[in-house]
Amino acid sequence: MAKANRRAFVTGASAALAVTATAAAARAQETGKPVKKVHWKDVKRPEKTPLFSGVTSYGGLVFIAGVGAHFEGDIKAHTKHVLDEIQKKLEEAGSSMEKVLKVNVYLNDLKDYKAMNEELLGRFGPEPPVRTTIAAAGGIPGNSLVEIDCIATL
């Protein structure tokens, strides 16, 4: 196949693939099948592929990646900051703290468990989610005293 013909074929095939993928996504939404959606920061996909997505929804669920606090402060300040950030992310995705089903809490040191609980109490409404809390061996990246991730309904 000549170089020009190959280029035309590849260009045409790429366009056909894009149309097919868009049509398949539209059909999935019409038929009620779940569709993965990454909620990009500032609603703009980054030019370079990131290591992970901060917020992703699938079907009726939204997944929030671990959020830490990267500033000087005590466990209460860090926990409040992390919960405030999670609340913002949930609301931007169309959910809320009251719709959180599962929370994972990673502490830098288990001695902070009681103070973290004091800050966490009531933040998820009158029916709190299920939760797992661990002290991460080796610490939390970025010197955060706590990192929290969660799964919520939309």
Side-chain angles (χ1 to χ4, degrees), residues 33-62:
K33 289 183 181 178
V35 176
K36 177 181 173 181
K37 178 181 177 187
V38 176
H39 301 263
W40 300 109
K41 188 176 182 177
D42 302 324
V43 194
K44 189 175 178 184
R45 183 187 191 114
E47 286 183 35
K48 190 174 179 182
T49 301
L51 292 172
F52 61 91
S53 301
V55 181
T56 301
S57 59
Y58 183 79
L61 298 175
V62 61

Side-chain angles (χ1 to χ4, degrees), residues 52 66-71 78 106-108 136-147:
F52 61 91
V67 177
H70 307 291
F71 57 86
H78 279 214
Y106 307 93
L107 291 171
N108 192 53
I140 307 293
N143 296 322
S144 183
L145 300 178
V146 63
E147 183 170 310

Side-chain angles (χ1 to χ4, degrees), residues 15-27:
L17 182 60
V19 168
T20 303
T22 303
R27 277 194 306 276

Side-chain angles (χ1 to χ4, degrees), residues 67-114:
V67 177
H70 307 291
F71 57 86
E72 291 294 321
D74 64 7
I75 187 62
K76 286 190 171 192
H78 279 214
T79 303
K80 180 183 182 324
H81 171 79
V82 167
L83 292 170
D84 290 346
E85 290 299 308
I86 287 174
Q87 183 173 351
K88 280 187 222 171
K89 291 173 186 283
L90 286 167
E91 290 172 356
E92 287 171 1
S95 189
S96 69
M97 295 292 272
E98 289 77 18
K99 293 181 178 180
V100 173
L101 304 171
K102 172 73 172 128
V103 174
N104 293 312
V105 178
Y106 307 93
L107 291 171
N108 192 53
D109 193 321
L110 204 53
K111 71 176 174 44
D112 291 329
Y113 185 74
K114 183 179 176 189

Side-chain angles (χ1 to χ4, degrees), residues 6-30:
R6 280 193 303 241
R7 187 173 294 127
F9 174 77
V10 170
T11 303
S14 296
L17 182 60
V19 168
T20 303
T22 303
R27 277 194 306 276
Q29 287 180 333
E30 289 171 7

